[in-house]
Amino acid sequence: MSVDLRLGVNIDHVATIRNARGGAHPDPLRAARIAAAAGADGITAHLREDRRHISDRDIARLRAEIDLPLNFEMAATDEMLAIAINAKPHAACIVPEKREERTTEGGLDAAGGHNHLKRFVSELGNAGVRVSLFIEASKTQLDAAASLGAPVVEIHTGAYCDATGDQRANELARIAEAVKYGADLGLEVHAGHGLAFDTVTPIAQLPEIRELNIGHFLIGEAIFIGLEASIREMRRLMNLARGMTGASQ
Ligand code: PXP
């Protein structure tokens, strides 16, 4: 397991498949156990307002039954704040949330939403939960995160992953600059969204990034090669990018 670059495995889409039929199968907890065995450093789960995938019970079970740190993704609402303070996950990542979106589209407006977010950052921090803000690779947003007192930011990699050719190179350069700027501000910098085997390496090579959160691709790839193999391969690529041996852990 790498302490240099952690892998948080997002298990939301195991719950998406379960919920498509109701019932208990496939169980996101089983996925979390496999992720632990495959070299994940943490589990990420997003309890959405509409409960379309992860449920309140999943969060309670993740806290009670899984040893890996839980990164609880949440919207900045009073309902989610109360759940987070009660569940006391290792970390909470505040994300923007719109009911009609398919996934978290774009980052949080930490600059425009400063007054609203301040209470969430401080109450979570006071409860001993490490707060991160999911933001775009923008100096304005990084400055706002620092001034809010958030210890961690997660940079949205969606535009980089969606782009091709020169556009992808431009997006990567924008992320590289932001990551460095964030680290210089004293923020711990994470990244995630849309990462796959063919996009992870340049991101993992940015030395200031301490954690990647990856879900949709890993769960999709598991259909073809199995979840453990999918996570092990991502872990191997991350280690290779950091110049470590290509060994599986
Ligand atoms: N990080 C954050 C803050 C997210 O909201 C998501 C998606 O839930 C991810 C990472 C993982 O994105 P993906 O499922 O596309 O790998």
Side-chain angles (χ1 to χ4, degrees):
M1 201 177 301
S2 160
V3 282
D4 188 37
L5 181 60
R6 296 188 298 270
L7 170 61
V9 172
N10 182 316
I11 56 169
D12 291 351
H13 294 307
V14 179
T16 303
I17 297 170
R18 176 195 61 193
N19 295 1
R21 283 285 175 96
H25 179 81
D27 184 2
L29 268 282
R30 185 171 170 195
R33 290 189 189 98
I34 290 171
D41 301 286
I43 298 298
T44 293
H46 184 178
L47 184 67
R48 293 187 75 102
E49 188 191 13
D50 61 10
R51 309 301 199 270
R52 71 175 68 156
H53 38 57
I54 293 294
S55 68
D56 298 66
R57 182 162 175 270
D58 292 329
I59 295 296
R61 290 178 66 217
L62 283 165
R63 290 295 291 126
E65 298 175 37
I66 300 295
D67 289 336
L68 286 181
L70 173 64
N71 177 31
F72 178 75
E73 289 184 7
M74 55 175 272
T77 65
D78 285 328
E79 182 199 17
M80 289 303 151
L81 180 63
I83 292 169
I85 287 175
N86 182 47
K88 282 209 183 1
H90 170 74
C93 180
I94 303 179
V95 302
E97 195 176 304
K98 294 196 253 359
R99 234 172 220 278
E100 63 278 12
E101 69 191 357
R102 275 182 292 183
T103 181
T104 313
E105 291 162 6
L108 195 67
D109 184 3
H114 194 280
N115 292 344
H116 175 70
L117 291 169
K118 190 134 195 69
R119 184 167 60 85
F120 291 88
V121 174
S122 69
E123 290 193 26
L124 287 164
N126 291 342
V129 179
R130 188 195 67 177
V131 184
S132 78
L133 302 180
F134 187 45
I135 57 173
E136 293 294 332
S138 130
K139 289 185 179 174
T140 307
Q141 297 300 339
L142 286 156
D143 285 336
S147 84
L148 278 163
V152 181
V153 290
E154 182 169 329
I155 302 291
H156 200 307
T157 51
Y160 154 77
C161 292
D162 289 344
T164 52
D166 286 351
Q167 187 57 30
R168 183 177 280 178
N170 292 342
E171 290 293 340
L172 179 62
R174 193 165 72 91
I175 291 171
E177 193 185 348
V179 163
K180 185 152 189 355
Y181 186 79
D184 288 346
L185 287 174
L187 295 164
E188 180 172 316
V189 183
H190 302 175
H193 208 282
L195 292 169
F197 292 157
D198 66 341
T199 48
V200 74
T201 299
I203 297 293
Q205 280 172 336
L206 300 173
E208 297 88 357
I209 295 185
R210 306 300 307 278
E211 178 176 310
L212 300 181
N213 285 297
I214 310 179
H216 182 265
F217 175 82
L218 290 174
I219 305 304
E221 190 65 9
I223 294 168
F224 305 109
I225 66 171
L227 184 57
E228 181 159 350
S230 165
I231 296 168
R232 279 193 190 281
E233 175 61 5
M234 190 62 83
R235 179 75 265 178
R236 189 185 72 80
L237 292 169
M238 287 165 59
N239 288 356
L240 270 181
R242 284 290 164 118
M244 302 170 66
T245 67
S248 60
Q249 300 226 356

